[in-house]
Amino acid sequence: MAAKRVVAVAVALVVLVATVAPAQPSLQEQLRHRLAAAHAITTMSSSFTQEKYLSVFSETLKSSGRFYYQRPDKLRWELLEPVASGFVLRGHKGRRWQARIPGSEPFDLDSDPAMAFIAEQLFAWARLDIDWLQQRYLISIDCEQPLALSLRPRRKDGFLERLQIVFAADNSHVQRVEVHEKDGDYTRIIFSATRINQPIDAALFKARTPR
Amino acid sequence: MLTWLYRCFARHRYLLALLYALFVVGGCWCFTAVDQREDALALLPDNAASELRRQFSWLQRAPFARKILIDLYAEDGVSAAHLRQATVQLAERLQPPLFDNVMYAPVRQFSGDFRTRLLQALPALFSTADMRALEQRLAADNIRHQLGHWRDMLYGSEQWLAKEQLRHDPLQLWQIAAAHLRAVNPMRHADSAQREFVSADGRHRLIIAATNVGVSDIDGGRRLLARLNAASAALPAGITATVVCGHRYTLANVTTIKHDMTLVLGCATIAILLIFLLWLRSPLALLVFALPASVLGYAVAAVALCFPAVSGITIGFGAVLLGISVDYTIHVYLAMRYTARAQRLQRLRSVAVPLGYGALTSIAAFSVLLTSTLPEQRQLAVFSIVALTLALLLALVVMPHWCGGGGATEKPDAPTHAGRYPLLLWLVVMVVCAVALPRVRFNGDMHSLSAVPPAVHAAEKLIKRTWGDMRTSAMIFARGNSLEQALTVNDAIYRLCRQHRHAAGLVSLAALLPAAQTQRDNMRRWRNFWVDHAPQLQRNLEQAAAQYSFNAGAFTPFWRYLNRKPRLIDLDWWRQLGLTTITADLTVRGDAGEYAVITMLDETALDSDLRRDLEQIPAALVVAPGQFSRTLGHELAGDMRAFILRAMAAVVLLLALLYRNLRLMALALLPVGGGLLFMFGVMGWLGQPFNLFNIIAAILIIGLGVDYGIFIVASCRHGVACSSRRAVLVSALTTLAGFGSLVLADHPAMYSIGLSVLLGIAAAVVTALYVVPCCWRLCMADRQEG
């Protein structure tokens, strides 16, 4: 009888504590709340500069280009200087081009694991789909203002160590991305002149455009 | 004996009926008890001197003989991407159990480390040609260009992948090993720059599928083609699929034969009905056809006793040949029906002699097939001997009692009033035919005897034009007791073929999987090469690296690779890389369990020089479909001449024994001579080649023609009743109705039998009925004058 009473009291206490203690929002909810503006993005275009810190080079590889995104799955990633290369992606299919090689070639994410991996990294911070990200990455907040996130892949078999994403002051879009590789190499991409929810010429998602 | 039997059964007709019923039941049991087998080998010579059976056995192992090839063509306006998508979707729709191992690319699935593994294989494959290619890559300008290219790549988004490739293989040496993959690509006209089967113009793609459905499996083939058609029907607009496989040929033949049989049987039935109404007109006359048919089972059983397996072709052909034996019952029926009962025994005796000789000559003619090198023809000989003997016995023992009639008296033989004009006309026709004899040629190509609809022919041409002639390539089998031995022979064959300038369409595993000793030689070459060139490479690489700001240690893995001891590669190495299908296709086991590695080559490249050189390699066996067909044709042509000469000799010998008179012999042989000459002459003028089936038709003409001659000579000699002439006419008409109507068939084999029998028997019967009596009168007048 005494034991029953103890259990009843314990349950009552637990219920009391649970109802009285303030509810801490989960990281998922926090991010959803803070990135509400970013979630409203339907199109985004931006210029970027890219810095590659690779151990095989004795200097930093600096380049610049343009980036276009249209929800849910259209993407154009294009280097303009010092070499012209890039790709467009529509769903699972796309075309890519390289410096010194005329024209472009098609690819399919289903049969091209390398491009599939690249597309996944780009969509990771372009879409900002928190559920999708949490399935694949362990997310932590590095800095509150401006918001900076670290994304570490849950799978350990790839080359990727972590992604670092820094948002604009109003959290409306990504301002800087760093891709850190396991061997210490990393790439920094800084976006500028970002235009959000402005119409994008559909032709930009079709093929290489003459410069 | 005949007299005794006639008298006995005349008294005990019920006993005769009972015995005949037992005979029929026994025949049915024999027919059902014997196993039949469809065996193409039965149509190939099996004498010791002939290599054809062995070659045929190896031909069955041709990599593409049992594959299904599907060409997808995109019309203008359909993009390459859409064509690829349609190809992948169609390939995915072709699922087991009907389809297996469906491919639209040389390698089913590229493994992630494809380049790395090719690089590792390079020392074992390193040929002198590779050495020259590598020397060019080591030039300072090339190295500079390569590193510039890498730097550009590393700016791009694929940098993480490119970085590792650069560190391990900055000069892209894996491409030298990859060039070896071309040696196992049978799609000679394909775009070699593509990873998938894409034509040079980019408008075509190819799917290759394997199947467990045998080419001769008609039901399976139907299901397979129905599934292919359904899958192809789902293709988007503007993309068409063309299918080439053995099953299409089988079904085309089956469909053609079915259609032909409906037409031919319909026509033959109407013709026989007319004959029945005009000359036989009695329900009992049905026995004329039923009696010979009842010997079929015994003939099949006799073949089964003499041969290990009964060929289905023998039974089919034999059943057709039974039509000859109808002649015996017709002769007896017509002779007995118009003879008073009291005189029937005497009439039977008078008919039995020419009938016996007629049967004997037919049997002698077919007996020559016993000397054939083709098992199927030997079986046919046994079948014919037994069937004709039994049919003769039934005609003489059973038929006389079931002829009905008996009231009508025999009409006297109507004199032939024809003058010499028919003879002159006949002579003119024969001379015209004789002129065309040199034009007759023999065609031993068995493919020409199968029905190939225009659509199938066009599909085959399309595949050949777009992808190359891989379905009919010549093959060189390198044989050995172990795979290693076979590979050693294969290396020798490969070297020999490469030495010949015109070795077009060469597909060989030797470029990918040399024998262990060759691999060791290649590795030695590789090591010696780097002893000479490593310092130069280091110098040039450092200079170029400095120009593009590469770090000194950027290429450490590459240097490590060059200093590593190379390893031998084996079949599993390539299988793990995804080259499962082509390696399986090019490595086969022989009948005796021996290993064999296949080299494929355009048959046109297989000239006499190369053949002579290949003969110097004892374990190499050359099998070329075209050459195989020509050799078969040559051997069968020899057989044909021998058969016809032997059949004629046997018939002449029997006639000599019968008549012991040169003039009578010549008269009896006139229908045979006229029939054969007319048949060969018209075929010569029409440009119709003579084939395997015509040989049998020719022997049929000899056997029947001499029967007609014997009966007409007997009729002229002994002045017997006109029933003999009528019997010859009715016999010839039934043969023409049964065999001649085959001329209406679309199937080449059936048509060629129909044509030759129609020509030969028509000429033989005309000669027998009009020319022989004419000549008889001339001879007799000559004798009387003499």
Side-chain angles (χ1 to χ4, degrees), chain A residues 177-193:
Chain A
V177 173
E178 283 183 14
V179 183
H180 290 262
E181 298 172 35
K182 282 177 181 167
D183 60 4
D185 290 351
Y186 69 99
T187 301
R188 178 179 296 142
I189 305 163
I190 301 165
F191 295 94
S192 60

Side-chain angles (χ1 to χ4, degrees), chain A:
Chain A
M1 196 63 187
K4 274 187 183 172
R5 214 174 291 135
V6 170
V7 171
V9 170
V11 170
L13 278 172
V14 168
V15 171
L16 188 67
V17 168
T19 49
V20 171
Q24 282 291 326
S26 68
L27 178 67
Q28 211 165 334
E29 283 164 348
Q30 279 186 57
L31 291 176
R32 239 185 234 123
H33 174 71
R34 295 184 66 170
L35 298 175
H39 288 150
I41 290 175
T42 54
T43 65
M44 179 164 60
S45 63
S46 180
S47 296
F48 66 83
T49 57
Q50 180 179 261
E51 294 167 3
K52 291 202 172 205
Y53 299 88
L54 307 178
S55 62
V56 292
F57 286 106
S58 55
E59 64 178 13
T60 304
L61 297 186
K62 290 182 179 170
S63 57
S64 61
R66 291 283 297 166
F67 164 71
Y68 301 89
Y69 167 70
Q70 183 174 319
R71 199 176 284 273
D73 56 8
K74 287 183 184 166
L75 201 72
R76 180 184 181 95
W77 180 266
E78 183 176 29
L79 284 186
L80 299 171
E81 294 290 342
V83 293
S85 68
F87 65 90
V88 290
L89 186 64
R90 298 179 308 281
H92 275 232
K93 296 179 191 308
R95 298 189 78 83
R96 65 181 150 203
W97 57 93
Q98 286 181 9
R100 304 185 193 210
I101 299 174
S104 60
E105 62 165 356
F107 65 85
D108 189 326
L109 297 186
D110 293 334
S111 58
D112 192 332
M115 283 309 293
F117 182 82
I118 293 162
E120 185 181 305
Q121 306 314 310
L122 290 172
F123 278 128
W125 49 263
R127 283 178 178 149
L128 288 174
D129 181 339
I130 303 301
D131 294 338
W132 185 88
L133 284 173
Q134 280 224 317
Q135 278 173 15
R136 287 164 178 78
Y137 299 92
L138 292 166
I139 304 173
S140 61
I141 298 175
D142 288 350
C143 179
E144 292 287 345
Q145 194 60 38
L147 180 63
L149 303 177
S150 265
L151 282 71
R152 292 174 190 277
R154 289 181 187 275
R155 288 185 58 166
K156 302 293 178 193
D157 53 354
F159 78 98
L160 187 67
E161 171 72 22
R162 67 188 159 94
L163 281 173
Q164 196 171 36
I165 304 171
V166 180
F167 290 84
D170 60 356
N171 292 339
S172 63
H173 61 275
V174 174
Q175 203 165 50
R176 197 176 79 220
V177 173
E178 283 183 14
V179 183
H180 290 262
E181 298 172 35
K182 282 177 181 167
D183 60 4
D185 290 351
Y186 69 99
T187 301
R188 178 179 296 142
I189 305 163
I190 301 165
F191 295 94
S192 60
T194 302
R195 289 159 57 104
I196 291 170
N197 294 341
Q198 298 295 312
I200 298 174
D201 183 0
L204 284 168
F205 295 113
K206 284 185 178 165
R208 184 178 195 170
T209 46
R211 294 184 67 192

Side-chain angles (χ1 to χ4, degrees), chain B residues 39 108 205 208 558 595:
Chain B
D39 187 2
R108 289 192 76 197
R205 276 180 174 264
I208 302 175
F558 177 61
Y595 287 83

